Amino acid sequence: MKTKTNLYLFLIALISAMGGFLFGYDWVVIGGAKPFYEQYFQIADSPSLQGWAMSSALIGCLIGALSAGKLSDKLGRKPILILAAGLFICTAVGTGAADTFGLFNVFRLIGGFAIGIASSLSPMYIAEIAPAHLRGRFVSINQLTVVLGILSAQIVNWQIAEPVADHATAEMIRLSWNGQMGWRWMFWAMVVPAALFFVFSFVLPESPRWLASSGYKEKAFGIFCHSDALLGAYGLTGCTSAARLVAIIFYKIMNGHNCYYLWN
């Protein structure tokens, strides 16, 4: 039973941590595409435009990080994770399909917004769904997937890019497959993990902590009552025990315990 319980929680954490994977991938993939999209958009001689292309996602990331907390407090953790997954799909498709430099940066801003959401919400969700004795190791899964996303971006860039001759001129690079299509496929490759994240996010349970603190007593109770794995993780054996847990949670809320983790 313990093995099944831990496996269930691990899968939940892994799905949520796909946001971390996409964070790492989207953040790094642009480095491999840089020599080619700069020639395509003819900005290789403009340091300011080069800098804007590389850093535009930071603005979106800032907005996403600042708004993730308020949005998830109002709408729930699960819907905002789904939103982030959808935005990752949008930025992957749009950035790769962009034919103008302005449109390219619009989709980079969208990607940055998704990164800002995922970087804060994925570990938050994992922390809220995991019991205290497993919380540390499960939250660390998100950090692992960020690194795996970075590694994957480097490998994808390496596999997609064709060798560039030492004597190649800027115009030769622009007209080459790398300059016309290669850099696009580096971004488009992100559609696969982003689509998986989007689909699997729908099977995630809503955070019981968010449900409890938002006044959805029945829903918070229902998640525990209908999930033997979660009951086992918290050392509970049935709905009666789950009801006691929900009662404890609301007792803490009603008595002004504003601690971030109500499961301790």
Side-chain angles (χ1 to χ4, degrees), residues 6 11 21 23 44 46 70 78 82 88 122 147 163 171 256-257:
N6 290 348
L11 291 175
F21 179 90
F23 165 19
S46 176
K70 288 186 178 296
K78 179 178 176 178
I82 295 173
F88 276 120
S122 287
V147 177
E171 184 64 11
H257 292 262

Side-chain angles (χ1 to χ4, degrees), residues 88-110:
F88 276 120
I89 296 174
C90 179
T91 188
V93 174
T95 306
D99 283 327
T100 66
F101 185 61
L103 196 59
F104 176 88
N105 283 289
V106 167
F107 284 107
R108 288 303 296 160
L109 285 166
I110 294 173

Side-chain angles (χ1 to χ4, degrees), residues 29-89:
V29 67
I30 193 170
K34 181 178 185 292
F36 309 121
Y37 73 70
E38 286 183 352
Q39 299 301 333
Y40 180 86
F41 293 119
Q42 298 183 331
I43 61 171
D45 295 327
S46 176
S48 60
L49 292 181
Q50 291 180 38
W52 172 237
M54 292 292 291
S55 61
S56 56
L58 286 172
I59 296 177
C61 185
L62 177 64
I63 298 172
L66 290 174
S67 59
K70 288 186 178 296
L71 286 174
S72 63
D73 282 346
K74 183 177 182 179
L75 302 175
R77 314 308 191 208
K78 179 178 176 178
I80 307 305
L81 283 173
I82 295 173
L83 171 64
L87 290 175
F88 276 120
I89 296 174

